[in-house]
C-alpha cells in the first residue's frame, strides 16, 4: 500500500496537470477545523492513545456501521463495552482488516490508507494475514512521545480546531489549555444547545433546570430561558467560541408573538404542551438563537434532517451515535424564511447551512447563499463527506453562490488521526474542480490559484470568524 | 481577457475534437428565443441604451443578487431608484468590477466575459483599476448607431424573439413593429395571465374587472371569465403570439364540475372564497388554459415552484423581481395528471414544463415527455441556466425523452446583450454532450450532427410552433 | 451499423485501457437474472417467436411509449389488438425504423443495436428504406431452431432467470421445466402478491377468496390470510423461488396491534374499511411479508412509487403496462423504520430496495444498506435502467454501502432478446466506474478486478440466495 501523489486528481492528463499545480499551491497550508468532535481533554492532558482499536475503530461509527451491515455485532468492536480486553481489541482489529474489501469505493478506505501510510508508515495492505503486524506497529508507535495528541496536532499542522460542547459545560478543559503556557495551539469550544431547544424531549425540563443552575437565571419563565441562553453564549464566547451548532429534525424557524412563546413555554415546563406547540416553540427558540447571534456575533450552523437512532434495539444496547442514524429529505427555502426575513441581511449575522440531502444544494442553499448576506453553504458532511459528494457540491452550489459564499471544509470528526486525510481529500477535489473550470476556459489559472486559496483558508476564516 | 475558441467544450482531447466539429456545425445558426423579457418598445423605437450600468447591472437580478449577498445594498446598484445620477451609475459599475472574484465559477461571469469581449471588444479584466476604462468604452459604443437595439438584433443573428405580456396589454409596440416597413425582425408577444388565475391574490378582483373592460366580456360570471380569456388569447394570437406562459406556486391542475367552478368563482368575486377554494379554482383555471390551447393551438409553458419575494424588506423597498426569489421542490407526476389525462395526447396541444428543481428531470418530466404526445421538457432556466445544470439536464432527460421531446434553449432574459452568450453557451454544452455519446459509441458522428441541429433549431421551432 | 468493442467505456484513453481490462475479465461470465418478466411458458415449450414485431415491439413498453409520444397510436403497434395482421406487423416495424432518430441517446437504441447486431447479424441502420430488409432477415432467423427460446437461452449464457408470478399461480410451466430431463437451464418463479396486499383495490375481496381456494386456508379471518400467504410462499419456495417482489404506491411499513389488524381486515372483507384503514392494513401486510421472510428465507424486493396508468384513456383502451406509468418521489428512511427496527438485522432476512427516484440512493438507501444487515440497494431499473443512471447509482451508493451491499444488475425485462445487451451494458459501466477509481488511485487494479467480479456474480447470488 502506498499513496499515489496524484490520488483524487482528475484522470485526464491535461486537467490533472492543472489540478496538480493548484493542489500544490495549498498542500501545505494549515488545517482550519471549525467544527468537530475531538474531546478537548485530549489536548488539555496531551494524552497518548491507548491502543489501535480504541483509537481507530470503537469510537468511529463511519467505520463500524459497514461492518455491522455485514453481520458484525457492534459489541465485538468495543462499542459501549465496559470491559473490553486486550484480546478483544486485537480481535476487533483483525475483523476490520479481514473485511477490508467491504470498504472498496468508500471514503473510509481512503482515510484509513492515508492514516496508515502517512501517520504510521504502514506499507502492508490490511487483511487477515497482516492484521497483527499492523496492529503491533501502530500500538508501538502511539505509546511514544512523537504520537501524543499535541505532537500530532503540530505534525498535522492544525491552526485551529473547534470542539462541540454542551451549554452547561464549564469548559474547564478549554480553560486548562488557555492557562497552559506550553500550549501554542488553538482549540475552541462550540455551543451545541439542541436538547435545551426541544421541549418535546422527555429530558427537557431537567435540562432546563440545569440551565438555570449553571447560568444563575430563573428558567421558570420564557424571559429567564432567553437570559440563560444569552448568559451561556457569552460564557462560551469568553472561552473562545466563535460558533453555535444546531441539529433538529427539520430546518423550521418561526417567530411567535411573545405572549404565545411565553404561554407555550410555561405549558412545556408544566408538561402540558402539545406536540405541535413544542415544535412551534422549538422553531421559535432556534430563531431566538439567530437573534442572539446578531448581538454576540457567534456564527450559527445548522445540519438538520436525520432520523436519529433508527434502530431502537441498537439504541438500547449501545446508546446514540453508533451509526444507526439515517438521513431524510429536508426543506430550507420555506423553513428558513421566517428567520431570514428578520435577520438574513444583518451585518453581524453569519449562518451556515449543512445538509445530507444533496438535492437542496442547487435548488435552495445555493440561491439562499447567493442572495442573503448572512447565508453560507456548508461543505458536505457526515454521510456525504466523500469524494463524489464533494465534487457534486461544487458543481451544484457554485452557479448561484460562487466560491466565496461557502463554508470551507468541515471534518466533523472524532477520528483524530483522519483529520489530515480529510482536509487533504477536500483540497485535492477542489483542485480538480477548479482545474476543470480552467480546462474549459471559465477561469484563468491565476484565478483558480486565488480561488483554491480562498476555499482552503479565506472561506472558513470568514464563515467562522477565525 | 480573451475568449478561448474551445471554451466549455469537454477537456478530453479526443472528445473535444468531436465536440468542436459539432459546435462548428451550428455555431452560425440564427438565434431562436421563444421566451424572454426584453421590452418590445426597445425594438419598436430602436432605442440606444443609456449607460453601461442601466444596461448591464440595474435591471439584472442575476448580477445584483450575488453582490447583495456580499453586502452591497441594491439601492447603490440603482434598483428602483428614481434619481440615479451619472456618478452613482459609474460607482455601481466600479462596485461590480471591484467584486469580480465573487462571480468565479458562475454563469454570470461567463456571460459578462462574452458580452464584454464579443459585443464591446473589451480586453481588460474587470477590477477596481479597470472599471472606469471599461465603463467609458461601453458608454461610448452604445451611443453609436451600430449599437442601437435593431442593429444589435441583426448583429446577434436573432431570427425570432418573444416578449412576455399581460393579457390586458394592447400590444401596441408589437403593432408598431408589424406596421413598420423598415423592420424585418420577428418579435412576438407571449400571453402571461398569472395574476388573473389566482383568486387568492388581493388584486384579483381588480384584475378581473380590467379583463372585462379590455375583452368586452362580462366577467361577473365564470362563463364570462372563460370568454374573456378566449378573447384575449385570440387577440394575442392575432398579434403573432404562439405561446402562453404560467407560473404558480405549484404545478397543480384540476377539473372541477362546472357548477362547482361557477360557485367558487362567484364566491371569489364576492371575496368569500376560502384559500382551499381559491387554490382549486386556480388549478381549474390552469386546466382551462390547456383546453383553450387545444382549440387555438398556443403552446402552453409552465415554470412553477418558487418562493417569490422571500425577503419582505427587499420587496417593500425595491418591489418584485430583484433577485429575492428562492426555488423550492416541485411535483409534476400527480399534479399534471388531471390535465394530461384530458388533453395530454391532443394533437393540437403542446405543453412545455420548466423547472428549477432538477430532481424532476429524470424522475418525472422525462417519463412524461416520453409518453404524452403534448409534453416537452423545458430547458434549464433561471437559477439553473448554467453549464453544469445544462449538462445534467441532458444526462437526465435524454434517457426517457430522447433529444426531440425537449424545448430547445430558452434564454428567459431581460439582459439583451447577453442573449448571444447564453445561446452560444447552450450550443457548446450540447455539442459536448453529444460528443460524449459519440465517444462512447452510442451515436455516430453523423447522428450527432443531425442531433445538434435538431436541438438548436428543430426543437424550439416545433415546441413553440415557430 | 456495427458495435464498437469499446462502447460505453470511458473516453479518456488511460481510463479506457483500465476499463477494457476490467470489462474483459467479466465479459464472458454467465448472466444471472434474478428478476424479470419473461413468461415461463416460452422456456417450457421451447417456443420460436412468431414475427419481429410481436417479438421486439408490441410487448415492449420501453419501445412503444416514445413512439406514442411522437404521435403513434399504440393500436398501430399491436398493443392489445386481437387480430393484428401480418401487414400491420410489417407496418409497425416500418414505423419503428422510420422513427429511429427519436431514440437517439436512449438505452432503447443501445439495446436494439446490440440485439440487431449480435443476435441477428443485422448490419444496416434502421430507417424507412431498410425496414423491410431488416424485418425479413429477423423473420427468417427466428423461425429456425437456432433461435428457439432454449437455444437463445444457452447462446445468451444465462445461468439463472426468474419469472414474476401470481401467488395463486399453480406454476405448472415451472413444474414442466423441472420435470423435463432435456432442460438444463434454471428458471425460477418469483412471488408477486401486490394485489392481495391492497385492501382498497376493488378486486381485493375476490382475490382474497381465490387465495383461500388455492391455499386451502380460510381467508375470512386475518389469521387465515396469514396462513394462506405462508402456504403460497412455501409452495413457491418448493418450486424454486428465492424471492418475493412488492410494488405499492409508497414504501410504507407499519406494525399494527394484532387486534387492530384483525378488526381492519374484517372491515375490509366486509367492504367497510376506510381508505386510511386500508393503507394501514396494507403496510402491516407488507411488514408481515418481512416477518415471513425471516422464517422462510425468501429475499424480499420492493420497488414502490409510480403512478400506475397515468393516462386513463390508454388504460381503458389497452390495459395496464403499456408505458403510461409515471414515477414519483419516494421516501424510505421513515417509511421502512417500523419494519427494519423489527427485522432489519435478522440473519435470515434479505431485503432489496429498488427505486426510480434517484435522490434516495445517496440520502437514504446507501445509508440504510450501510447499516442494516438485511438491506441491499437494488440496481437502477425500469426508467433508470440507462447508462447515465447506472453510473450515477454507483457514484451515489458506494460511499455509504460499498460495492457489496448492492443487488447486482437486474434486467426486469420482458424483451428476451435484449437480456444480453442489458447485462453487457451494466458490466461495461461498472468497468468504467471502477476504472475511474483505479485512475484516481482509490483502488488498485487488482482490487477493481475482484470488485467487478463481485458486482457481476457475487452480489446477485448473495442478494437473491442463488
Amino acid at each position: 500500500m502506498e499513496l499515489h501523489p496524484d490520488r483524487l486528481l482528475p484522470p485526464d492528463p491535461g486537467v490533472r496537470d492543472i489540478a496538480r499545480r493548484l493542489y500544490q499551491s495549498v498542500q501545505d497550508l494549515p488545517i482550519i477545523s471549525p467544527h468537530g468532535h475531538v474531546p478537548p481533554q485530549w489536548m488539555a492532558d496531551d494524552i497518548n492513545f491507548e491502543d489501535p482499536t480504541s483509537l481507530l475503530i470503537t469510537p468511529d461509527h463511519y467505520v463500524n456501521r459497514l461492518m455491522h451491515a455485514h453481520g458484525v455485532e457492534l459489541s465485538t468492536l468495543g462499542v459501549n463495552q465496559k470491559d473490553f480486553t486486550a484480546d478483544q481489541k486485537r480481535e476487533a482489529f483483525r475483523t476490520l482488516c479481514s473485511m477490508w474489501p467491504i470498504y472498496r469505493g468508500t471514503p473510509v478506505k481512503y482515510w484509513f490508507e492515508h492514516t496508515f501510510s502517512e501517520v504510521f508508515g504502514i506499507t502492508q495492505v490490511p487483511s487477515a494475514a497482516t492484521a497483527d503486524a499492523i496492529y503491533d506497529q501502530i500500538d508501538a508507535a502511539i505509546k511514544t512521545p512523537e504520537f501524543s495528541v499535541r505532537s500530532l496536532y503540530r505534525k498535522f499542522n492544525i491552526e485551529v480546531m473547534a470542539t462541540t460542547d454542551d451549554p452547561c459545560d464549564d469548559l474547564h478543559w478549554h480553560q486548562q489549555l488557555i492557562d497552559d503556557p506550553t500550549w501554542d495551539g488553538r482549540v475552541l469550544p462550540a455551543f451545541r444547545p439542541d436538547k435545551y431547544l426541544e421541549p418535546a424531549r422527555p429530558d427537557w425540563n431537567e435540562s432546563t433546570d440545569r440551565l438555570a443552575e449553571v447560568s444563575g437565571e430563573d428558567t421558570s419563565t420564557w424571559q429567564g430561558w432567553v437570559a440563560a441562553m444569552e448568559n451561556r453564549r457569552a460564557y462560551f464566547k469568553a472561552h473562545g467560541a466563535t460558533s453555535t451548532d444546531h441539529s433538529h429534525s427539520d430546518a423550521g424557524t418561526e417567530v411567535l408573538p411573545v405572549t404565545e412563546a411565553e404561554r407555550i413555554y410555561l405549558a412545556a415546563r408544566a408538561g402540558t404542551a402539545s406536540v405541535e406547540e413544542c415544535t412551534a416553540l422549538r422553531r421559535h427558540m432556534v430563531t431566538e438563537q439567530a437573534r442572539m447571534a446578531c448581538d454576540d456575533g457567534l456564527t450559527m450552523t445548522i445540519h438538520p434532517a436525520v432520523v436519529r437512532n433508527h434502530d431502537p434495539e441498537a439504541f438500547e444496547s449501545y446508546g446514540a451515535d453508533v451509526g444507526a442514524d439515517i438521513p431524510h429529505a429536508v426543506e430550507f427555502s420555506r423553513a428558513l424564511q421566517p428567520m431570514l426575513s428578520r435577520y438574513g441581511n444583518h451585518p453581524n449575522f453569519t449562518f451556515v447551512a449543512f445538509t445530507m440531502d444533496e438535492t437542496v444544494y442547487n435548488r435552495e442553499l445555493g440561491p439562499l447563499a447567493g442572495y442573503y448576506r448572512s447565508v453560507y453553504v456548508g461543505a458536505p458532511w457526515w454521510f456525504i463527506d466523500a469524494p463524489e459528494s464533494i465534487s457534486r457540491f461544487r458543481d451544484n452550489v457554485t452557479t448561484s453562490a460562487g466560491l466565496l459564499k461557502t463554508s470551507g471544509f468541515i471534518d466533523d470528526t472524532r477520528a483524530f488521526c483522519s483529520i489530515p486525510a480529510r482536509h487533504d481529500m477536500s483540497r485535492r477535489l477542489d483542485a480538480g474542480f477548479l482545474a476543470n473550470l480552467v480546462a474549459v476556459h471559465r477561469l484563468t489559472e491565476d484565478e483558480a490559484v486565488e480561488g483554491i486559496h480562498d476555499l482552503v483558508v479565506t472561506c472558513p476564516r470568514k464563515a467562522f470568524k477565525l
Side-chain angles (χ1 to χ4, degrees), chain A:
Chain A
M1 185 176 68
E2 97 190 282
L3 299 186
H4 195 285
D6 286 338
R7 62 193 184 280
L8 292 185
L9 302 183
D12 178 89
V15 184
R16 180 167 284 189
D17 280 349
I18 305 167
R20 197 185 292 120
R21 291 192 292 272
L22 297 178
Y23 169 67
Q24 284 164 353
S25 76
V26 294
Q27 180 174 15
D28 296 326
L29 289 176
I31 287 175
I32 298 170
S33 175
H35 178 75
H37 294 272
V38 173
Q41 186 204 351
W42 291 3
M43 279 73 70
D45 285 349
D46 193 18
I47 66 157
N48 274 66
F49 298 110
E50 276 183 43
D51 61 88
T53 292
S54 65
L55 170 62
L56 299 171
I57 303 179
T58 304
D60 193 342
H61 54 67
Y62 288 80
V63 174
N64 297 339
R65 68 194 315 276
L66 197 53
M67 284 195 274
H68 179 265
H70 284 274
V72 176
E73 293 294 336
L74 294 178
S75 58
T76 67
L77 303 174
V79 178
N80 205 29
Q81 301 303 298
K82 274 181 197 155
D83 304 302
F84 200 58
T85 66
D87 281 358
Q88 286 175 309
K89 287 174 176 176
R90 184 174 286 272
E91 194 56 37
F93 201 84
R94 286 175 184 151
T95 301
L96 172 75
C97 291
S98 68
M99 297 181 80
W100 196 239
I102 69 173
Y103 294 104
R104 285 175 185 159
T106 70
V108 170
K109 177 175 189 274
Y110 182 85
W111 298 327
F112 260 132
E113 288 179 345
H114 188 285
T115 302
F116 283 166
S117 179
E118 294 286 290
V119 182
F120 297 109
I122 308 284
T123 55
Q124 290 163 296
V125 175
S127 71
T130 62
D132 280 358
I134 297 174
Y135 190 91
D136 291 338
Q137 189 172 340
I138 297 174
D139 198 48
I142 59 181
K143 291 178 165 52
T144 66
E146 289 73 30
F147 285 82
S148 80
V149 165
R150 289 193 184 180
S151 298
L152 290 174
Y153 183 99
R154 289 182 196 107
K155 185 182 171 196
F156 293 169
N157 194 18
I158 298 175
E159 178 178 302
V160 57
M161 183 167 69
T163 62
T164 297
D165 309 275
D166 189 283
C168 290
D169 195 302
D170 64 5
L171 305 177
H172 64 282
W173 299 115
H174 293 85
Q175 190 60 50
Q176 182 174 324
L177 283 164
I178 292 166
D179 296 341
D180 183 345
T182 69
W183 168 244
D184 58 354
R186 189 173 177 205
V187 172
L188 311 175
F191 187 78
R192 176 78 177 264
D194 293 356
K195 70 180 179 186
Y196 304 90
L197 272 62
E198 300 212 335
R201 283 175 64 130
D203 59 357
W204 180 75
N205 254 315
E206 194 186 328
S207 299
T208 308
D209 290 344
R210 174 102 179 98
L211 188 63
E213 276 171 49
V214 173
S215 67
E217 300 288 342
D218 173 10
T219 61
S220 69
T221 70
W222 167 242
Q223 282 74 15
W225 184 92
V226 171
M229 275 291 156
E230 289 172 340
N231 173 297
R232 296 312 296 165
R233 291 174 64 106
Y235 186 85
F236 269 62
K237 192 174 174 184
H239 284 75
T242 72
S243 71
T244 76
D245 183 40
H246 307 268
S247 178
H248 301 288
S249 59
D250 59 50
T253 62
E254 192 166 338
V255 179
L256 297 174
V258 176
T259 52
E260 180 68 355
E262 285 171 351
R263 187 189 66 72
I264 300 178
Y265 184 84
L266 294 177
R269 289 294 269 161
T272 61
S274 70
V275 172
E276 291 72 26
E277 288 174 328
C278 287
T279 299
L281 184 56
R282 184 250 294 167
R283 291 174 180 165
H284 183 74
M285 286 169 154
V286 168
T287 314
E288 272 294 288
Q289 299 285 334
R291 183 193 59 72
M292 295 175 201
C294 295
D295 291 341
D296 61 26
L298 295 177
T299 291
M300 180 174 186
T301 70
I302 66 165
H303 45 91
V306 61
V307 182
R308 300 273 175 187
N309 311 311
H310 196 275
D311 178 359
E313 211 173 296
F315 180 60
E316 260 182 54
S317 303
Y318 304 111
D321 299 324
V322 298
D325 301 336
I326 305 289
H328 58 77
V330 67
E331 199 279 334
F332 285 106
S333 294
R334 284 175 283 210
L336 296 178
Q337 209 264 346
M339 184 189 79
L340 292 178
S341 68
R342 293 227 162 181
Y343 310 118
N345 295 314
H346 194 288
N348 205 30
F349 185 39
T350 303
F351 179 79
V352 186
F354 296 93
T355 181
M356 289 186 296
D357 175 358
E358 293 189 25
T359 69
V360 299
Y361 281 138
N362 183 261
R363 187 178 63 218
E364 306 178 28
L365 293 185
L368 284 166
Y371 172 74
Y372 283 105
R373 181 189 280 205
S374 65
V375 180
Y376 290 72
V377 191
W381 71 296
W382 199 351
F383 286 95
I384 62 173
D385 179 9
E388 291 81 1
S389 296
I390 291 174
S391 300
R392 285 193 299 262
F393 164 72
R394 292 282 173 216
D395 276 349
N396 274 291
V397 305
T398 310
T399 290
S400 288
L403 302 174
L404 293 166
K405 291 300 299 276
T406 58
S407 71
F409 181 70
I410 300 294
D411 59 67
D412 187 37
T413 193
R414 59 202 78 210
F416 189 71
C417 290
S418 76
I419 290 175
R422 291 169 189 245
H423 285 263
D424 181 72
M425 177 176 93
S426 167
R427 292 173 189 190
R428 291 171 178 275
L429 296 163
D430 282 344
F433 168 74
L434 291 166
N436 261 302
L437 292 182
V438 173
V440 299
H441 308 287
R442 292 175 61 188
L443 293 181
T444 64
E445 191 163 327
D446 286 348
E447 290 175 320
V449 167
E450 283 184 29
I452 195 161
H453 189 270
D454 285 343
L455 295 182
V456 172
V457 293
T458 313
C459 286
R461 281 181 187 146
K462 185 159 182 227
F464 287 88
K465 304 187 177 177
L466 294 167

